[in-house]
Coordinates of all heavy atoms in Angstrom, one line a residue:
V1 N 41.5 86.2 80.4 CA 42.1 86.6 79.1 C 42.3 88.1 79.1 O 41.3 88.8 79.1 CB 41.3 86.1 77.9 CG1 41.9 86.6 76.6 CG2 41.2 84.6 77.9
P2 N 43.5 88.6 79.0 CA 43.6 90.0 78.8 C 43.1 90.4 77.5 O 43.3 89.7 76.5 CB 45.1 90.3 78.9 CG 45.7 89.0 79.3 CD 44.7 87.9 79.1
F3 N 42.3 91.5 77.4 CA 41.7 91.9 76.1 C 41.6 93.4 75.9 O 41.3 93.8 74.8 CB 40.4 91.2 75.9 CG 39.3 91.7 76.9 CD1 38.5 92.7 76.6 CD2 39.2 91.0 78.1 CE1 37.5 93.1 77.5 CE2 38.2 91.4 79.0 CZ 37.4 92.5 78.7
A4 N 41.8 94.2 76.9 CA 41.4 95.6 76.8 C 42.7 96.5 76.7 O 42.6 97.6 77.1 CB 40.6 96.0 78.0
G5 N 43.7 96.0 76.1 CA 44.9 96.9 76.0 C 46.0 96.3 75.1 O 46.1 95.1 74.9
G6 N 46.8 97.2 74.6 CA 48.0 96.8 73.9 C 47.8 95.8 72.8 O 46.8 95.9 72.0
V7 N 48.7 94.9 72.7 CA 48.7 93.9 71.6 C 47.4 93.0 71.7 O 46.9 92.6 70.6 CB 49.9 93.0 71.7 CG1 49.9 92.1 72.9 CG2 50.1 92.2 70.4
Y8 N 46.9 92.8 72.8 CA 45.6 92.0 72.9 C 44.5 92.7 72.1 O 43.8 92.1 71.4 CB 45.2 91.7 74.3 CG 46.3 91.0 75.1 CD1 47.1 91.7 76.0 CD2 46.5 89.7 75.0 CE1 48.0 91.1 76.8 CE2 47.4 89.0 75.7 CZ 48.2 89.7 76.6 OH 49.2 89.1 77.3
F9 N 44.4 94.0 72.4 CA 43.3 94.7 71.8 C 43.5 94.8 70.3 O 42.6 94.8 69.5 CB 43.2 96.1 72.4 CG 41.9 96.8 72.0 CD1 40.8 96.6 72.8 CD2 41.8 97.7 71.0 CE1 39.6 97.3 72.5 CE2 40.7 98.3 70.6 CZ 39.5 98.1 71.4
R10 N 44.8 95.0 69.9 CA 45.1 95.1 68.4 C 44.9 93.7 67.7 O 44.4 93.7 66.6 CB 46.5 95.5 68.2 CG 46.8 97.0 68.5 CD 48.2 97.4 68.1 NE 49.2 97.0 69.0 CZ 50.1 96.1 68.7 NH1 50.2 95.5 67.5 NH2 51.0 95.7 69.6
A11 N 45.3 92.6 68.4 CA 45.3 91.3 67.7 C 44.0 90.6 67.7 O 43.6 89.9 66.8 CB 46.4 90.4 68.3
L12 N 43.2 90.7 68.8 CA 41.9 90.0 68.9 C 40.9 90.7 68.0 O 40.8 91.9 68.0 CB 41.4 90.0 70.4 CG 42.2 89.2 71.4 CD1 41.7 89.4 72.8 CD2 42.2 87.7 71.0
P13 N 40.0 89.9 67.4 CA 38.9 90.5 66.6 C 38.0 91.2 67.5 O 37.8 90.8 68.7 CB 38.2 89.3 66.0 CG 39.2 88.1 66.2 CD 40.1 88.4 67.3
L14 N 37.3 92.2 67.0 CA 36.4 93.0 67.8 C 35.3 92.2 68.5 O 34.9 92.4 69.6 CB 35.8 94.2 67.0 CG 34.9 95.1 67.7 CD1 35.7 95.8 68.9 CD2 34.4 96.2 66.8
W15 N 34.8 91.2 67.8 CA 33.7 90.3 68.3 C 34.2 89.6 69.6 O 33.4 89.4 70.5 CB 33.1 89.4 67.3 CG 34.0 88.3 66.8 CD1 34.9 88.3 65.7 CD2 34.2 87.0 67.4 NE1 35.5 87.1 65.6 CE2 35.1 86.3 66.6 CE3 33.6 86.4 68.5 CZ2 35.5 85.0 66.9 CZ3 34.0 85.1 68.8 CH2 35.0 84.4 68.0
V16 N 35.5 89.2 69.6 CA 36.0 88.5 70.8 C 36.1 89.5 71.9 O 35.7 89.2 73.1 CB 37.4 87.9 70.5 CG1 38.1 87.4 71.8 CG2 37.3 86.8 69.4
I17 N 36.6 90.7 71.7 CA 36.6 91.8 72.7 C 35.3 92.1 73.3 O 35.1 92.2 74.5 CB 37.3 93.0 72.2 CG1 38.8 92.7 71.8 CG2 37.2 94.2 73.2 CD1 39.5 93.8 71.0
E18 N 34.3 92.2 72.4 CA 32.9 92.5 72.8 C 32.4 91.3 73.7 O 31.8 91.5 74.7 CB 32.0 92.7 71.6 CG 32.3 94.0 70.9 CD 31.5 94.1 69.6 OE1 31.2 93.1 69.0 OE2 31.1 95.3 69.3
R19 N 32.6 90.1 73.3 CA 32.2 88.9 74.0 C 32.8 88.9 75.4 O 32.2 88.6 76.4 CB 32.4 87.6 73.3 CG 31.9 86.4 74.0 CD 31.9 85.2 73.2 NE 30.9 85.3 72.1 CZ 30.8 84.5 71.1 NH1 31.7 83.5 70.9 NH2 29.9 84.7 70.2
L20 N 34.1 89.1 75.5 CA 34.8 89.1 76.8 C 34.3 90.3 77.7 O 34.2 90.1 78.9 CB 36.3 89.2 76.5 CG 37.0 88.0 75.9 CD1 38.4 88.2 75.5 CD2 36.9 86.8 76.9
T21 N 34.0 91.4 77.0 CA 33.5 92.5 77.8 C 32.1 92.2 78.4 O 31.9 92.4 79.6 CB 33.3 93.8 76.9 OG1 34.6 94.1 76.4 CG2 32.8 95.0 77.7
R22 N 31.3 91.6 77.6 CA 29.9 91.2 78.2 C 30.1 90.1 79.2 O 29.4 90.1 80.3 CB 29.1 90.6 77.0 CG 28.5 91.7 76.2 CD 27.4 91.2 75.2 NE 27.8 90.1 74.3 CZ 28.4 90.3 73.2 NH1 28.6 91.6 72.7 NH2 28.8 89.3 72.4
R23 N 31.0 89.2 79.0 CA 31.2 88.1 80.0 C 31.7 88.7 81.3 O 31.3 88.3 82.4 CB 32.3 87.1 79.5 CG 32.5 85.9 80.4 CD 33.2 84.8 79.7 NE 33.3 83.6 80.6 CZ 34.3 83.3 81.3 NH1 35.4 84.0 81.3 NH2 34.3 82.2 82.0
H24 N 32.7 89.7 81.2 CA 33.2 90.3 82.4 C 32.0 91.0 83.2 O 31.9 90.9 84.4 CB 34.3 91.4 82.0 CG 34.7 92.2 83.2 ND1 35.7 91.7 84.1 CD2 34.4 93.4 83.6 CE1 35.9 92.6 85.0 NE2 35.1 93.7 84.7
A25 N 31.2 91.7 82.4 CA 30.1 92.4 83.1 C 29.1 91.5 83.7 O 28.6 91.7 84.8 CB 29.3 93.3 82.0
A26 N 28.9 90.3 83.1 CA 27.9 89.3 83.7 C 28.5 88.7 84.9 O 27.8 88.4 85.9 CB 27.6 88.3 82.6
L27 N 29.8 88.5 85.0 CA 30.4 87.8 86.1 C 30.8 88.8 87.3 O 30.8 88.4 88.4 CB 31.7 87.2 85.7 CG 31.6 86.0 84.8 CD1 32.9 85.5 84.3 CD2 30.8 84.9 85.4
S28 N 31.0 90.1 86.9 CA 31.5 91.0 88.0 C 30.6 92.2 88.2 O 30.9 93.0 89.0 CB 32.9 91.4 87.7 OG 32.9 92.2 86.5
G29 N 29.5 92.3 87.5 CA 28.6 93.4 87.7 C 29.3 94.7 87.3 O 29.5 94.9 86.1
T30 N 29.6 95.6 88.2 CA 30.1 96.9 87.9 C 31.6 97.0 88.0 O 32.1 98.1 87.9 CB 29.4 98.0 88.8 OG1 29.8 97.7 90.2 CG2 27.9 98.0 88.6
A31 N 32.3 96.0 88.2 CA 33.8 96.0 88.3 C 34.3 96.6 87.0 O 33.9 96.2 85.9 CB 34.4 94.7 88.6
P32 N 35.3 97.5 87.1 CA 35.8 98.1 85.9 C 36.7 97.2 85.1 O 37.2 96.2 85.6 CB 36.6 99.3 86.4 CG 37.0 98.9 87.8 CD 35.9 98.0 88.3
I33 N 36.9 97.5 83.8 CA 37.9 96.8 83.0 C 39.0 97.8 82.8 O 38.8 98.9 82.4 CB 37.2 96.5 81.6 CG1 36.1 95.5 81.8 CG2 38.3 96.0 80.7 CD1 35.3 95.2 80.5
G34 N 40.2 97.3 83.1 CA 41.4 98.2 83.0 C 41.9 98.1 81.6 O 42.1 97.0 81.1
G35 N 42.2 99.2 80.9 CA 42.8 99.2 79.6 C 44.0 100.0 79.5 O 44.2 100.9 80.4
Y36 N 44.8 99.8 78.6 CA 46.0 100.6 78.4 C 46.5 100.5 76.9 O 46.2 99.5 76.3 CB 47.2 100.0 79.3 CG 47.6 98.7 78.9 CD1 48.7 98.5 77.9 CD2 47.0 97.6 79.3 CE1 49.0 97.2 77.5 CE2 47.4 96.3 78.9 CZ 48.4 96.1 78.0 OH 48.8 94.9 77.6
F37 N 47.1 101.5 76.5 CA 47.6 101.6 75.1 C 48.9 102.4 75.1 O 49.0 103.3 75.8 CB 46.6 102.2 74.1 CG 45.3 101.5 74.1 CD1 44.2 101.9 74.8 CD2 45.2 100.3 73.4 CE1 43.0 101.2 74.7 CE2 44.0 99.6 73.3 CZ 42.9 100.1 74.0
H38 N 49.8 101.9 74.4 CA 51.1 102.6 74.2 C 51.0 103.4 72.9 O 50.2 103.1 72.0 CB 52.3 101.6 74.1 CG 52.4 100.7 75.2 ND1 53.1 101.2 76.4 CD2 52.0 99.5 75.5 CE1 53.0 100.2 77.3 NE2 52.4 99.2 76.8
P39 N 51.8 104.5 72.8 CA 51.7 105.3 71.6 C 52.0 104.4 70.3 O 51.4 104.6 69.3 CB 52.8 106.3 71.8 CG 52.9 106.5 73.2 CD 52.6 105.1 73.8
Y40 N 52.9 103.4 70.4 CA 53.2 102.6 69.2 C 52.0 101.7 68.8 O 52.0 101.2 67.7 CB 54.4 101.8 69.4 CG 54.4 100.8 70.5 CD1 53.7 99.6 70.4 CD2 55.1 100.9 71.7 CE1 53.7 98.6 71.4 CE2 55.1 100.0 72.7 CZ 54.4 98.8 72.5 OH 54.4 97.9 73.5
D41 N 51.0 101.5 69.7 CA 49.8 100.7 69.3 C 49.0 101.3 68.2 O 48.3 100.7 67.6 CB 48.9 100.5 70.6 CG 49.5 99.5 71.5 OD1 50.1 98.5 71.1 OD2 49.3 99.7 72.7
V42 N 49.2 102.6 68.0 CA 48.4 103.3 67.0 C 49.3 104.0 65.9 O 48.9 104.6 65.0 CB 47.5 104.4 67.5 CG1 46.4 103.8 68.4 CG2 48.2 105.5 68.3
D43 N 50.6 103.8 66.1 CA 51.6 104.5 65.2 C 51.9 103.6 64.0 O 52.7 102.7 64.0 CB 52.9 104.8 65.9 CG 53.9 105.6 65.1 OD1 53.6 106.0 64.0 OD2 55.0 105.9 65.7
T44 N 51.2 103.9 62.9 CA 51.4 103.2 61.6 C 52.6 103.7 60.8 O 53.0 103.1 59.9 CB 50.1 103.3 60.7 OG1 49.9 104.7 60.4 CG2 48.9 102.7 61.4
E45 N 53.2 104.8 61.3 CA 54.3 105.4 60.6 C 55.6 105.0 61.1 O 56.7 105.3 60.6 CB 54.2 106.9 60.6 CG 52.9 107.5 60.0 CD 52.9 107.3 58.5 OE1 53.9 107.5 57.8 OE2 51.8 107.0 58.0
Q46 N 55.6 104.3 62.3 CA 56.9 103.9 62.9 C 57.7 103.0 62.0 O 57.2 102.1 61.3 CB 56.6 103.1 64.2 CG 57.9 102.7 64.9 CD 57.7 101.9 66.1 OE1 56.6 101.3 66.3 NE2 58.7 101.8 67.0
E47 N 59.0 103.3 61.9 CA 59.9 102.5 61.1 C 59.9 101.1 61.7 O 60.1 100.9 62.9 CB 61.3 103.1 61.1 CG 62.3 102.4 60.3 CD 63.7 103.0 60.5 OE1 63.8 104.2 60.9 OE2 64.7 102.3 60.1
R48 N 59.9 100.1 60.8 CA 60.0 98.7 61.3 C 61.4 98.3 61.6 O 62.3 98.6 60.7 CB 59.3 97.8 60.3 CG 57.8 98.0 60.3 CD 57.1 97.1 59.3 NE 55.7 97.4 59.3 CZ 54.8 96.5 59.7 NH1 55.1 95.3 60.1 NH2 53.5 96.9 59.6
F49 N 61.6 97.7 62.7 CA 62.9 97.2 63.1 C 62.8 96.1 64.0 O 61.7 95.8 64.6 CB 63.8 98.3 63.7 CG 63.2 98.9 65.0 CD1 63.6 98.4 66.2 CD2 62.2 99.9 65.0 CE1 63.1 98.9 67.4 CE2 61.7 100.4 66.2 CZ 62.1 99.9 67.4
M50 N 63.8 95.3 64.2 CA 63.8 94.2 65.2 C 64.0 94.8 66.6 O 65.0 95.4 66.9 CB 64.9 93.2 64.9 CG 65.0 92.0 65.9 SD 63.5 91.0 66.0 CE 63.6 90.1 64.5
H51 N 62.9 94.6 67.4 CA 63.0 95.1 68.8 C 64.0 94.3 69.6 O 63.9 93.1 69.7 CB 61.6 95.1 69.4 CG 60.6 96.0 68.7 ND1 60.4 97.3 69.2 CD2 59.9 95.9 67.6 CE1 59.5 97.9 68.4 NE2 59.2 97.1 67.4
P52 N 64.9 95.0 70.2 CA 66.0 94.3 71.0 C 65.5 93.4 72.1 O 66.1 92.4 72.5 CB 66.9 95.4 71.4 CG 66.1 96.6 71.4 CD 65.1 96.4 70.3
G53 N 64.4 93.8 72.8 CA 63.9 93.1 74.0 C 63.2 91.8 73.7 O 62.9 91.1 74.6
I54 N 63.1 91.4 72.5 CA 62.4 90.2 72.2 C 63.3 89.1 71.6 O 62.8 88.1 71.0 CB 61.1 90.4 71.3 CG1 61.5 91.1 70.0 CG2 60.1 91.1 72.1 CD1 60.3 91.3 69.1
H55 N 64.6 89.4 71.7 CA 65.6 88.4 71.4 C 65.5 87.7 70.0 O 65.5 86.5 69.8 CB 65.6 87.3 72.4 CG 65.7 87.8 73.8 ND1 66.8 88.5 74.3 CD2 64.8 87.9 74.8 CE1 66.6 88.9 75.5 NE2 65.3 88.5 75.9
K56 N 65.3 88.6 69.0 CA 65.2 88.2 67.6 C 64.1 87.1 67.3 O 64.2 86.3 66.4 CB 66.6 87.6 67.1 CG 67.6 88.7 67.1 CD 68.9 88.3 66.5 CE 69.9 89.4 66.5 NZ 71.1 89.2 65.9
N57 N 63.0 87.2 68.1 CA 61.9 86.4 67.9 C 61.0 87.0 66.8 O 60.4 88.0 67.1 CB 61.1 86.2 69.2 CG 60.0 85.2 69.0 OD1 59.1 85.4 68.1 ND2 59.9 84.3 69.9
Y58 N 61.0 86.5 65.6 CA 60.3 87.1 64.5 C 58.8 87.1 64.7 O 58.1 88.1 64.2 CB 60.7 86.5 63.2 CG 62.1 86.8 62.8 CD1 63.1 85.9 63.1 CD2 62.5 88.0 62.3 CE1 64.5 86.2 62.8 CE2 63.8 88.3 62.0 CZ 64.8 87.4 62.3 OH 66.1 87.7 62.0
F59 N 58.2 86.1 65.4 CA 56.8 86.1 65.6 C 56.4 87.3 66.5 O 55.5 88.1 66.2 CB 56.4 84.8 66.3 CG 54.9 84.9 66.8 CD1 53.9 84.7 65.9 CD2 54.6 85.1 68.1 CE1 52.6 84.8 66.3 CE2 53.3 85.1 68.5 CZ 52.3 85.0 67.6
F60 N 57.1 87.5 67.6 CA 56.8 88.6 68.5 C 57.1 90.0 67.9 O 56.4 90.9 68.1 CB 57.5 88.4 69.9 CG 56.9 87.3 70.7 CD1 57.7 86.3 71.1 CD2 55.6 87.3 71.0 CE1 57.2 85.3 71.9 CE2 55.1 86.3 71.8 CZ 55.9 85.3 72.2
N61 N 58.1 90.0 67.1 CA 58.4 91.3 66.4 C 57.3 91.6 65.4 O 56.9 92.8 65.3 CB 59.7 91.2 65.6 CG 60.3 92.5 65.4 OD1 60.7 93.2 66.3 ND2 60.3 93.0 64.1
K62 N 56.8 90.6 64.7 CA 55.6 90.9 63.8 C 54.4 91.4 64.6 O 53.7 92.2 64.2 CB 55.3 89.7 62.9 CG 54.3 89.9 61.9 CD 54.3 88.8 60.9 CE 53.3 89.0 59.8 NZ 53.6 90.0 58.9
L63 N 54.2 90.7 65.7 CA 53.1 91.1 66.6 C 53.2 92.6 67.1 O 52.1 93.2 67.3 CB 53.1 90.2 67.8 CG 51.8 90.0 68.5 CD1 50.7 89.5 67.6 CD2 52.0 88.9 69.6
M64 N 54.4 93.1 67.1 CA 54.6 94.5 67.5 C 53.9 95.5 66.6 O 53.5 96.6 66.9 CB 56.0 94.9 67.7 CG 56.8 94.2 68.8 SD 56.2 94.8 70.4 CE 56.7 96.5 70.4
Y65 N 53.7 95.0 65.3 CA 53.2 95.9 64.3 C 51.7 95.5 63.8 O 51.1 96.2 63.2 CB 54.1 95.9 63.1 CG 55.5 96.4 63.4 CD1 56.5 95.5 63.7 CD2 55.7 97.8 63.5 CE1 57.8 96.0 64.0 CE2 57.0 98.2 63.9 CZ 58.0 97.3 64.1 OH 59.2 97.8 64.5
F66 N 51.3 94.3 64.3 CA 50.1 93.7 63.8 C 48.9 94.6 64.3 O 48.8 94.9 65.5 CB 49.9 92.3 64.3 CG 48.7 91.6 63.8 CD1 48.6 91.1 62.6 CD2 47.6 91.6 64.7 CE1 47.4 90.5 62.1 CE2 46.4 91.0 64.2 CZ 46.3 90.4 63.0
G67 N 47.9 94.9 63.5 CA 46.7 95.5 63.8 C 46.7 97.0 64.1 O 45.7 97.6 64.5
R68 N 47.8 97.6 63.9 CA 47.9 99.1 64.2 C 47.0 99.9 63.3 O 46.4 100.9 63.8 CB 49.4 99.6 64.1 CG 50.3 99.1 65.1 CD 51.6 99.7 65.0 NE 52.6 99.2 65.9 CZ 53.8 99.6 66.1 NH1 54.2 100.6 65.4 NH2 54.6 99.1 67.0
A69 N 46.9 99.5 62.1 CA 46.2 100.4 61.1 C 44.7 100.5 61.5 O 44.1 101.6 61.3 CB 46.3 99.8 59.7
G70 N 44.1 99.5 62.0 CA 42.7 99.5 62.4 C 42.4 99.8 63.9 O 41.3 99.8 64.3
M71 N 43.5 100.1 64.6 CA 43.4 100.3 66.1 C 42.4 101.4 66.5 O 41.5 101.2 67.3 CB 44.8 100.5 66.7 CG 44.8 100.8 68.1 SD 44.3 99.4 69.1 CE 44.6 100.1 70.7
L72 N 42.6 102.6 65.9 CA 41.7 103.7 66.4 C 40.2 103.5 66.0 O 39.4 103.8 66.8 CB 42.2 105.0 65.8 CG 43.5 105.5 66.4 CD1 44.0 106.8 65.8 CD2 43.4 105.7 67.9
D73 N 40.0 102.9 64.8 CA 38.6 102.6 64.5 C 38.0 101.6 65.4 O 36.8 101.7 65.8 CB 38.5 102.2 63.0 CG 38.8 103.3 62.0 OD1 38.5 104.5 62.4 OD2 39.2 103.0 60.9
K74 N 38.8 100.6 65.7 CA 38.3 99.5 66.6 C 38.0 100.1 68.0 O 37.0 99.8 68.6 CB 39.3 98.4 66.7 CG 38.8 97.2 67.5 CD 40.0 96.2 67.8 CE 40.3 95.3 66.7 NZ 41.2 94.3 67.1
F75 N 38.9 101.0 68.5 CA 38.8 101.6 69.8 C 37.5 102.5 69.8 O 36.8 102.4 70.8 CB 40.0 102.3 70.1 CG 40.1 102.8 71.5 CD1 39.9 101.9 72.6 CD2 40.3 104.2 71.8 CE1 40.0 102.4 73.9 CE2 40.3 104.6 73.1 CZ 40.2 103.7 74.2
K76 N 37.3 103.3 68.8 CA 36.1 104.2 68.7 C 34.9 103.3 68.8 O 33.9 103.7 69.5 CB 36.2 105.1 67.5 CG 37.1 106.2 67.6 CD 36.9 107.2 66.6 CE 37.7 106.9 65.3 NZ 37.6 107.9 64.3
Y77 N 34.8 102.3 68.0 CA 33.6 101.4 68.0 C 33.4 100.8 69.4 O 32.3 100.7 69.9 CB 33.8 100.3 66.9 CG 32.6 99.4 66.8 CD1 31.5 99.7 66.1 CD2 32.6 98.2 67.5 CE1 30.4 98.9 66.0 CE2 31.5 97.3 67.5 CZ 30.4 97.7 66.7 OH 29.3 96.9 66.7
F78 N 34.5 100.3 70.0 CA 34.4 99.7 71.3 C 33.8 100.7 72.3 O 33.1 100.3 73.2 CB 35.8 99.2 71.7 CG 35.9 98.6 73.1 CD1 35.3 97.3 73.4 CD2 36.4 99.3 74.1 CE1 35.4 96.8 74.6 CE2 36.5 98.8 75.4 CZ 36.0 97.5 75.6
L79 N 34.2 101.9 72.2 CA 33.8 102.9 73.3 C 32.4 103.3 73.2 O 31.9 104.0 74.1 CB 34.7 104.2 73.2 CG 36.1 104.0 73.7 CD1 36.9 105.3 73.5 CD2 36.1 103.6 75.1
E80 N 31.7 103.0 72.1 CA 30.3 103.4 72.0 C 29.5 102.8 73.1 O 29.5 101.5 73.3 CB 29.7 103.0 70.6 CG 30.3 103.9 69.5 CD 29.7 103.5 68.2 OE1 28.8 102.6 68.1 OE2 30.2 104.0 67.2
G81 N 28.9 103.6 73.9 CA 28.0 103.1 75.0 C 28.8 102.6 76.3 O 28.2 102.0 77.2
V82 N 30.1 102.9 76.3 CA 30.9 102.5 77.5 C 31.3 103.7 78.2 O 31.7 104.7 77.6 CB 32.2 101.7 77.0 CG1 33.1 101.4 78.1 CG2 31.8 100.5 76.2
T83 N 31.3 103.7 79.5 CA 31.7 104.8 80.4 C 33.2 104.6 80.6 O 33.7 103.5 81.0 CB 31.0 104.8 81.7 OG1 29.6 104.9 81.5 CG2 31.4 105.9 82.6
T84 N 34.0 105.6 80.4 CA 35.4 105.6 80.7 C 35.8 106.6 81.7 O 35.1 107.6 81.9 CB 36.2 105.8 79.4 OG1 35.9 107.1 78.9 CG2 35.8 104.8 78.3
M85 N 37.0 106.4 82.3 CA 37.6 107.3 83.2 C 39.1 107.1 83.3 O 39.5 105.9 83.1 CB 37.0 107.3 84.6 CG 37.3 106.1 85.4 SD 36.7 106.1 87.1 CE 35.0 106.1 86.9
P86 N 39.9 108.1 83.5 CA 41.3 107.9 83.7 C 41.6 107.1 85.0 O 40.8 107.2 85.9 CB 41.9 109.4 83.8 CG 40.8 110.2 83.3 CD 39.5 109.5 83.6
Y87 N 42.7 106.4 85.0 CA 43.1 105.6 86.2 C 43.1 106.5 87.5 O 42.7 106.1 88.5 CB 44.5 105.0 86.0 CG 44.5 103.8 85.1 CD1 45.3 103.8 84.0 CD2 43.6 102.7 85.3 CE1 45.4 102.7 83.2 CE2 43.7 101.6 84.5 CZ 44.5 101.6 83.4 OH 44.6 100.5 82.6
G88 N 43.7 107.7 87.4 CA 43.8 108.6 88.5 C 42.4 108.9 89.2 O 42.3 108.8 90.4
E89 N 41.4 109.1 88.3 CA 40.1 109.4 88.8 C 39.5 108.1 89.5 O 38.9 108.2 90.6 CB 39.2 109.8 87.7 CG 37.8 110.2 88.1 CD 37.0 110.6 86.8 OE1 37.6 111.2 85.9 OE2 35.8 110.3 86.8
F90 N 39.7 107.0 88.9 CA 39.3 105.7 89.5 C 39.9 105.5 90.9 O 39.2 105.2 91.9 CB 39.6 104.5 88.6 CG 39.3 103.2 89.2 CD1 38.0 102.7 89.3 CD2 40.4 102.4 89.7 CE1 37.8 101.5 89.9 CE2 40.1 101.2 90.2 CZ 38.8 100.7 90.4
V91 N 41.2 105.7 91.0 CA 42.0 105.5 92.3 C 41.5 106.5 93.3 O 41.2 106.1 94.5 CB 43.5 105.6 92.0 CG1 44.2 105.6 93.4 CG2 44.0 104.5 91.2
R92 N 41.3 107.8 92.9 CA 40.8 108.8 93.9 C 39.5 108.4 94.4 O 39.2 108.5 95.6 CB 40.8 110.2 93.3 CG 42.1 110.9 93.2 CD 42.0 112.3 92.8 NE 41.4 112.5 91.5 CZ 42.1 112.4 90.3 NH1 43.4 112.1 90.4 NH2 41.6 112.5 89.1
G93 N 38.6 107.9 93.6 CA 37.2 107.4 94.0 C 37.3 106.3 95.0 O 36.6 106.2 96.0
R94 N 38.3 105.3 94.7 CA 38.5 104.2 95.6 C 39.0 104.6 97.0 O 38.7 104.1 98.0 CB 39.4 103.1 95.0 CG 38.8 102.5 93.8 CD 37.7 101.6 94.2 NE 37.1 101.0 93.0 CZ 36.2 100.1 93.0 NH1 35.7 99.6 94.1 NH2 35.7 99.6 91.9
L95 N 39.9 105.6 96.9 CA 40.5 106.1 98.2 C 39.5 106.8 99.0 O 39.6 106.7 100.3 CB 41.7 107.0 97.9 CG 43.0 106.4 97.3 CD1 44.0 107.4 96.9 CD2 43.5 105.3 98.2
R96 N 38.6 107.5 98.4 CA 37.5 108.2 99.2 C 36.6 107.2 99.9 O 36.1 107.5 100.9 CB 36.7 109.1 98.3 CG 37.4 110.4 97.9 CD 36.5 111.4 97.3 NE 36.0 111.0 96.0 CZ 36.7 111.3 94.9 NH1 37.8 112.1 94.9 NH2 36.2 110.9 93.7
T97 N 36.4 106.1 99.3 CA 35.5 105.1 99.9 C 36.2 104.1 100.8 O 35.5 103.3 101.5 CB 34.7 104.3 98.8 OG1 35.7 103.6 98.0 CG2 33.9 105.2 97.9
A98 N 37.5 104.2 100.9 CA 38.2 103.3 101.8 C 38.3 103.7 103.2 O 38.1 104.8 103.6 CB 39.6 103.1 101.2

């Protein structure tokens, strides 16, 4: 289940994200969790419009705006006690060990 980025992170309750994070750690040990966010994931001021790439699907269009208001607070809470690094740093580390 994708949970660490974009609409998944915005739409899923924090307790689900925490549970999936713990499950990932239990199953994979130290394997990283990849996350990503688009600027619009936190932009509560963006004008609402029908996104052309979703073919007038009102459910998916509503999902584009769902959860933005609480995104940064949820992200800050999630990061407590978690080590993070940019993708570039992760890739450089992998290339050095390859």
Side-chain angles (χ1 to χ4, degrees):
V1 173
F3 64 91
V7 69
Y8 302 102
F9 196 88
R10 286 188 287 112
L12 292 173
L14 185 58
W15 68 268
V16 172
I17 294 168
E18 289 174 326
R19 182 171 289 169
L20 290 169
T21 301
R22 284 193 302 274
R23 184 167 188 259
H24 174 79
L27 293 174
S28 64
T30 60
I33 295 172
Y36 65 92
F37 300 101
H38 300 280
Y40 64 74
D41 285 322
V42 296
D43 186 1
T44 58
E45 302 291 320
Q46 181 184 19
E47 179 183 347
R48 292 181 181 243
F49 62 95
M50 179 57 76
H51 293 265
I54 57 178
H55 310 291
K56 296 188 180 183
N57 184 309
Y58 291 98
F59 172 77
F60 288 122
N61 201 71
K62 186 165 180 71
L63 204 53
M64 292 293 296
Y65 300 98
F66 183 81
R68 289 183 185 189
M71 174 67 175
L72 288 179
D73 288 335
K74 184 190 283 188
F75 189 56
K76 282 193 273 187
Y77 181 83
F78 177 75
L79 286 178
E80 290 180 6
V82 175
T83 302
T84 63
M85 71 175 63
Y87 285 126
E89 185 179 325
F90 172 76
V91 170
R92 281 190 297 280
R94 294 290 178 174
L95 290 175
R96 282 193 290 272
T97 61

